[in-house]
Amino acid sequence: MKRAAVLGLTLLASACATGPRWANGEPPVLVKAAMETVVKTDPTVDADDPALWADPSDPSRAVMFGTDKTDGLYVHNLDGSVRQFFPSGALNNVDLRPGFKVDGKDYVLVGASADEAFGLFVYLFDPATLETKQWGFISTGTWEPYGFCMAKRDGNFYLIADSKNGEAKVWTVAAGPSGPVAELIRTVKVGSQPEGCVVDEEAGNLYIGEEDVGLWRVAFGPGASDELHSIARIDGKRLTADVEGVTIMRDRGKKYLIASSQGDDTYNVFRIEGLAHVYIGRFAIVAGETIDAVTATDGLDAFSGPIGQFPEGAIAFHDDEDAPSPGQQNYKVVDWRDIRKALNLN
């Protein structure tokens, strides 16, 4: 992961001098963001990873969670404004899953990796009130969690975190008498530092982004094989190190695996066809009339279906440098219809 205002200014200067960083690679299609987050209380938000949620019965009721790698967790309204903030300390990645019961009540379980605290923070989001509360902390001992994602499968909830040592660990999590109860059930290892991850729950696959190597698929669940299957390799043409955020968009009966190619400000798109992954193309997010371009993305998250002002889905992206505010990072949201049209997806 690349961070610091100095890097952002270097990237901006480089882009101005030589053109977009994807200029020498395979040309991406171009889209523009429709919304961006605004934090007025902190001039140096150190953003990293978003997670989207919408009420399936009323998609206008929607929020986005976003980590701050220095300070904690933001909850944003879908107009970009801040709804809540939790000063949990340095958080890296965030994810969520609905339908988690605590004392007989349904919540959305939200989790975030806390590398400096060596553990995972968990929060409960109430879909009735749209309010969130911090619920507990799961210590990982001396093991440092870095990337993070979640899964819900066969009635069980899973927390997945990976570390700079190449390990990805999987815990089950349930509600105990006084907070979360987690049990480590599996460890998977790649050759070097990973970060982004996502689970295809229907197919039972875990996708992991190994930052300097590429994308992997491994069977998900207790007792599954640890054999890694390569989806795409860093080649400097389509996928440029670091490979960072990884997400899945479900649209019109098809599934698309989308990965952040951080080194050239683009996003690779693969159509999932069973165990095959067909490369569709890639896109970049350029400046519009009021919202700037997106560069050096860490985390991203796709929401499949109506959410807020996006009737057919949306994807949220971390932006490393929010122009014209040096040092300020934020999140941009792109209408899925724009990406679909640009890539000519049927």
Side-chain angles (χ1 to χ4, degrees):
M1 174 176 10
K2 311 292 193 295
R3 168 58 191 138
V6 172
L7 173 68
L9 292 172
T10 300
L11 294 178
L12 186 60
S14 174
C16 291
T18 63
R21 294 199 294 162
W22 38 260
N24 295 322
E26 180 177 302
V29 299
L30 307 180
V31 297
K32 298 176 182 179
M35 185 276 278
E36 65 178 339
T37 58
V38 178
V39 176
K40 297 181 179 179
T41 55
D42 184 352
T44 56
V45 173
D46 193 3
D48 189 279
D49 189 50
L52 293 161
W53 176 89
D55 185 340
S57 62
D58 181 3
S60 67
R61 304 177 70 248
V63 299
M64 184 180 73
F65 295 85
T67 58
D68 183 319
K69 289 183 291 187
T70 303
D71 297 328
L73 183 70
Y74 283 95
V75 189
H76 290 276
N77 298 305
L78 260 288
D79 62 0
S81 62
V82 175
R83 183 178 186 87
Q84 287 180 274
F85 173 71
F86 295 89
S88 304
L91 298 180
N92 203 45
N93 288 183
V94 62
D95 204 0
L96 56 84
R97 286 297 183 275
F100 187 79
K101 287 191 179 294
V102 179
D103 297 329
K105 178 177 173 57
D106 274 355
Y107 290 93
V108 177
L109 181 66
V110 181
S113 55
D115 51 348
E116 293 184 6
F118 290 88
L120 307 172
F121 279 97
V122 283
Y123 309 80
L124 296 176
F125 170 75
D126 187 343
T129 63
L130 304 186
E131 295 300 303
T132 304
K133 61 182 178 182
Q134 187 168 305
W135 185 44
F137 179 78
I138 299 166
S139 173
T140 55
T142 59
W143 190 81
E144 179 186 11
Y146 190 53
F148 177 79
C149 56
M150 293 176 62
K152 179 183 178 183
R153 198 161 188 258
D154 300 327
N156 297 313
F157 287 77
Y158 299 90
L159 309 176
I160 305 103
D162 56 46
S163 186
K164 295 176 183 179
N165 67 2
E167 290 181 335
K169 293 182 179 289
V170 182
W171 293 262
T172 57
V173 61
S178 57
V181 176
E183 178 184 358
L184 179 65
I185 62 168
R186 189 178 177 202
T187 300
V188 177
K189 190 169 179 65
V190 297
S192 60
Q193 179 173 314
E195 183 173 3
C197 65
V198 68
V199 177
D200 182 345
E201 292 148 322
E202 301 92 341
N205 289 317
L206 168 64
Y207 295 94
I208 300 173
E210 188 178 355
E211 291 191 347
D212 293 329
V213 177
L215 280 167
W216 299 99
R217 174 184 63 81
V218 63
F220 181 74
S225 170
D226 290 341
E227 182 180 1
L228 295 170
H229 302 270
S230 177
I231 304 303
R233 293 277 183 165
I234 299 291
D235 62 3
K237 297 178 181 178
R238 292 178 176 174
L239 195 59
T240 300
D242 295 351
V243 56
E244 288 281 345
V246 186
T247 191
I248 294 174
M249 171 61 80
R250 298 161 176 86
D251 180 47
R252 300 178 177 182
K254 297 176 182 177
K255 290 186 289 190
Y256 300 95
L257 179 69
I258 303 169
S260 165
S261 175
Q262 188 186 64
D264 64 356
D265 308 328
T266 65
Y267 310 90
N268 282 223
V269 181
F270 305 84
R271 187 172 60 246
I272 302 172
E273 297 181 355
L275 298 181
H277 299 76
V278 180
Y279 176 76
I280 299 300
R282 62 190 199 138
F283 63 93
I285 305 168
V286 296
E289 292 184 6
T290 60
I291 300 178
D292 59 302
V294 178
T295 57
T297 291
D298 279 324
L300 70 165
D301 185 51
F303 190 90
S304 306
I307 178 169
Q309 62 269 42
F310 307 103
E312 297 184 44
I315 307 182
F317 302 83
H318 157 257
D319 180 17
D320 186 71
E321 193 71 27
D322 180 40
S325 306
Q328 176 84 317
Q329 301 189 3
N330 72 349
Y331 299 98
K332 308 290 201 290
V333 178
V334 178
D335 192 319
W336 170 246
R337 295 174 298 178
D338 293 339
I339 298 172
R340 180 205 289 150
K341 180 179 180 181
L343 288 170
N344 196 28
L345 301 178
N346 297 320

